[in-house]
Amino acid sequence: MQLDPRFQERIAATVTVIIGIFGAIALGKMTAQGQTGMLAIIGFGVIAIASLVHFRERVWVIVPVLWPFWGSIPILPIPFSLKDIGVILAFIATFICIALKLIRLRPRFTFLDALFYLNVVWLLVALIRNPVGFLVSDSERVGGRPYVSAIFGFLAYWVISRANVSPERLRRIPFYILGLLSVFLFINIIMVAVPAFGRFTSQLYTGFDFYFIDDAVTLAAGSGAGQRAVDDGTVRIEMFRDIGKYACVFLCAYFYPPSLLNPMKWKRFTGFFATILGLLLSGFRSFLAYAGAIFLIGSYYRGGWGTVLRSIITATLTMFIVLLGHGTFYELPFAAQRALAIVPSFMLPVQLDERAILSGESSTNWRVEMWIQALTTNRYISDKILGDGFGMTRAQIGVYQRAIAMGPISNQESQEQMAISGDFHSGPVSAIRVVGIVGLVFVYLLYIPLAIHAARLIRKTKNTPLFEPTLFFCAPIVFEPFWYTFVFGGHPGVIPFAGLSLGMMKLIENSLSLHHSAQASLELPASQPIKVERPHLPAVV
């Protein structure tokens, strides 16, 4: 089901002309008022969009490449993150290309699209029922940023689903993502070594890990890094978190997972060892579990359940060997021990730091306590059937800001702060707060079919050049229902994740069709069998 292509093109062209007229009027006023800084930014944006239009249907690339970068750019007078800016530029460029008939591909509307739109509409209902503004407005309820993120998630879906790319180009996208993350990690390491450099970069991007830099940089960045060390002494090296996550997915998608633990294949072994070490140093137990799940998913699609069993045995033996050296030949960092505290003590060959174990147990206990209070009282959730929507009341945000202003906070204060903001570290509880039990049902009606479709798409691309990039983008989708439910879910990320995932799967399907068409064109038509008639020989008497 889709609209008439000519009608869509006319709408896009009309809107483009209207925007151009009003944009020209606004630029004229800015010129008269001498707003040279804003004019320079607009001029840069126009040049960027014009450059992106040149790439036509390939403009979608900047959306997944910039998606991991959640930090903002303080020198720009816009409250958007780097990934949001990428979505905006890609959307405008794609819209212009449609108006100019440079992009003609129209995605087919499927049942998955209908489920996605259902969740978008229900989130809109939550907004209508619980109107929310922003801190700069005078509304009673503030904190509407997640609604903006949902809009960007929808725009990402709209852009990517209209793209088409060859298998060769699609294979490069994970390399671009990992390469850019590596550049940002390198810059972050320089900032740690040279704090003066951090004072400069803090004005360029807030997504760096500023914990190891002096307080002046932390405050200038506005990243809230100063509040991350709670009273249990935990220090998380967050710079390794995102690159560790994406590097693990990349390695498990492009290589046979059990071979990542083989020292004889030293390049991939070194890469995987550095990835796991980074996740351990980050101190996030949830991302260590994420890496393990992706490792098993990659093993299954590479070789079936036999390979999964082999991977479990190999990984267990490797971890056992590494832990045997702890306390004798080396000392595992506290963050790494805290991440390993998720493993039952009877399964560990050595004793970990008691503080690390208590820290992990304390983190789990306060989460469970927060969930119980949220679900059994009206303290944090008023309407559990239809939800309260995103945002906080003025009174709640006052408590939240006072907790931030007081500096390092205790576990109990952290629990109160996160519960007020709706950050329950649980997908179902977060969904009940925002869209209610009804909305939670809608989330699973979307997430489970998305995971099933992703699994089928991985199988479809087996033995094609699309297999590795499909596994890279679809393995997290397969794991998402479990991750959202039991590990580290949150409703603010539902529409953005679903939008990007659905868009990428449509793109992969388009590329798969292109690949099959190319293969069919290369096949020669089967030759007709030649009938050979035997000569008539006279009978021998």
Side-chain angles (χ1 to χ4, degrees):
M1 186 179 92
Q2 60 184 15
L3 296 174
D4 181 5
R6 288 176 295 179
F7 176 74
Q8 297 185 61
E9 291 169 359
R10 289 168 186 166
I11 290 292
T14 302
V15 173
T16 302
V17 171
I18 294 174
I19 292 176
I21 293 173
F22 281 97
I25 295 173
L27 289 175
K29 289 184 177 180
M30 289 181 186
T31 303
Q33 296 173 359
Q35 299 180 15
T36 55
M38 181 60 70
L39 286 172
I41 293 174
I42 294 175
F44 176 79
V46 170
I47 294 173
I49 292 171
S51 302
L52 291 173
V53 169
H54 172 72
F55 291 100
R56 300 185 182 183
E57 67 272 6
R58 287 178 289 172
V59 71
W60 67 272
V61 172
I62 65 174
V63 176
V65 169
L66 294 181
W67 197 259
F69 300 96
W70 48 267
S72 60
I73 304 176
I75 60 175
L76 294 180
I78 50 177
F80 300 131
S81 65
L82 185 56
K83 77 171 186 178
D84 294 341
I85 294 174
V87 172
I88 292 172
L89 293 176
F91 171 73
I92 296 175
T94 302
F95 196 87
I96 294 174
C97 286
I98 292 176
L100 299 177
K101 300 183 180 181
L102 299 176
I103 295 180
R104 295 179 177 272
L105 179 64
R106 275 91 187 174
R108 186 170 58 90
F109 193 85
T110 65
F111 181 64
L112 281 176
D113 296 279
L115 294 175
F116 177 67
Y117 276 90
L118 175 63
N119 279 267
V120 172
V121 170
W122 190 249
L123 187 62
L124 180 61
V125 170
L127 174 61
I128 295 172
R129 292 183 62 253
N130 304 276
V132 62
F134 301 89
L135 284 175
V136 295
S137 64
D138 195 28
S139 59
E140 174 61 27
R141 192 175 181 87
V142 295
R145 171 65 194 180
Y147 289 112
V148 179
S149 298
I151 293 174
F152 287 127
F154 181 84
L155 295 181
Y157 152 80
W158 189 88
V159 169
I160 298 177
S161 62
R162 283 163 170 74
N164 200 354
V165 65
S166 65
E168 293 74 19
R169 290 186 181 277
L170 186 60
R171 287 180 61 87
R172 301 173 193 168
I173 306 304
F175 289 89
Y176 297 157
I177 297 173
L178 202 60
L180 196 54
L181 281 168
S182 300
V183 171
F184 274 69
L185 175 64
F186 180 71
I187 295 174
N188 213 147
I189 293 173
I190 295 178
M191 289 168 53
V192 174
V194 186
F197 181 66
R199 294 185 180 92
F200 169 73
T201 53
S202 65
Q203 301 301 318
L204 300 179
Y205 182 64
T206 64
F208 293 116
D209 187 359
F210 294 95
Y211 183 83
F212 294 98
I213 310 172
D214 59 294
D215 293 339
V217 175
T218 301
L219 294 175
S223 62
Q227 284 74 46
R228 281 181 292 148
V230 292
D231 58 358
D232 61 0
T234 302
V235 175
R236 289 175 171 175
I237 310 177
E238 294 189 358
M239 70 177 80
F240 296 120
R241 180 190 60 189
D242 293 334
I243 190 170
K245 170 187 173 182
Y246 282 90
C248 181
V249 179
F250 174 84
L251 291 170
C252 293
Y254 280 77
F255 300 102
Y256 182 65
S259 69
L260 300 175
L261 301 174
N262 184 1
M264 300 300 294
K265 300 183 181 297
W266 65 272
K267 290 183 180 179
R268 62 185 70 176
F269 173 80
T270 303
F272 190 68
F273 176 80
T275 297
I276 298 301
L277 179 61
L279 289 174
L280 287 171
L281 292 175
S282 73
F284 287 91
R285 297 174 299 162
S286 55
F287 283 89
L288 193 64
Y290 185 93
I294 295 299
F295 188 83
L296 295 181
I297 291 173
S299 299
Y300 172 75
Y301 286 108
R302 285 284 185 177
W305 289 111
T307 303
V308 171
L309 180 61
R310 190 180 305 114
S311 296
I312 293 175
I313 295 173
T314 306
T316 303
L317 290 176
T318 302
M319 185 181 70
F320 188 84
I321 294 172
V322 171
L323 287 174
L324 279 178
H326 171 63
T328 304
F329 301 101
Y330 47 80
E331 191 77 18
L332 290 174
F334 182 85
Q337 294 187 59
R338 185 181 184 277
L340 288 171
I342 193 174
V343 182
S345 58
F346 68 88
M347 297 179 61
L348 298 174
V350 294
Q351 182 65 37
L352 299 177
D353 191 324
E354 190 67 24
R355 294 179 304 140
I357 298 176
L358 291 176
S359 172
E361 292 178 350
S362 174
S363 175
T364 301
N365 291 336
W366 75 254
R367 287 191 194 187
V368 174
E369 181 183 347
M370 182 169 56
W371 299 341
I372 293 174
Q373 290 189 21
L375 296 176
T376 59
T377 69
N378 294 328
R379 185 174 183 180
Y380 304 118
I381 306 176
S382 301
D383 189 344
K384 296 180 177 61
I385 303 299
L386 302 179
D388 298 337
F390 287 117
M392 300 174 279
T393 64
R394 285 284 177 178
Q396 288 176 328
I397 202 167
V399 176
Y400 183 88
Q401 290 178 327
R402 282 194 296 273
I404 293 178
M406 291 175 64
I409 58 180
S410 65
N411 277 339
Q412 185 176 0
E413 293 169 332
S414 174
Q415 180 190 78
E416 179 76 8
Q417 178 182 331
M418 298 181 72
I420 288 174
S421 65
D423 188 8
F424 293 102
H425 287 199
S426 166
V429 179
S430 175
I432 291 174
R433 181 187 187 273
V434 178
V435 292
I437 295 175
V438 176
L440 177 61
V441 173
F442 291 161
V443 171
Y444 284 112
L445 286 177
L446 173 62
Y447 268 15
I448 293 176
L450 273 178
I452 294 173
H453 188 68
R456 291 173 178 170
L457 197 55
I458 294 173
R459 293 190 184 96
K460 282 183 181 179
T461 57
K462 197 73 178 288
N463 301 320
T464 72
L466 286 164
F467 177 68
E468 287 82 5
T470 301
L471 192 55
F472 177 85
F473 288 110
C474 290
I477 303 174
V478 173
F479 182 55
E480 183 62 20
F482 186 90
W483 171 266
Y484 175 81
T485 305
F486 300 107
V487 187
F488 199 72
H491 198 72
V494 168
I495 299 300
F497 175 84
L500 180 70
S501 300
L502 186 54
M504 288 304 304
M505 287 195 290
K506 283 180 173 290
L507 172 69
I508 292 170
E509 289 173 336
N510 295 339
S511 299
L512 187 61
S513 298
L514 188 65
H515 172 71
H516 288 327
S517 299
Q519 290 294 107
S521 64
L522 293 176
E523 294 179 359
L524 295 177
S527 56
Q528 297 292 330
I530 301 175
K531 184 178 181 180
V532 179
E533 296 184 359
R534 295 182 179 180
H536 178 71
L537 299 177
V540 178
V541 178

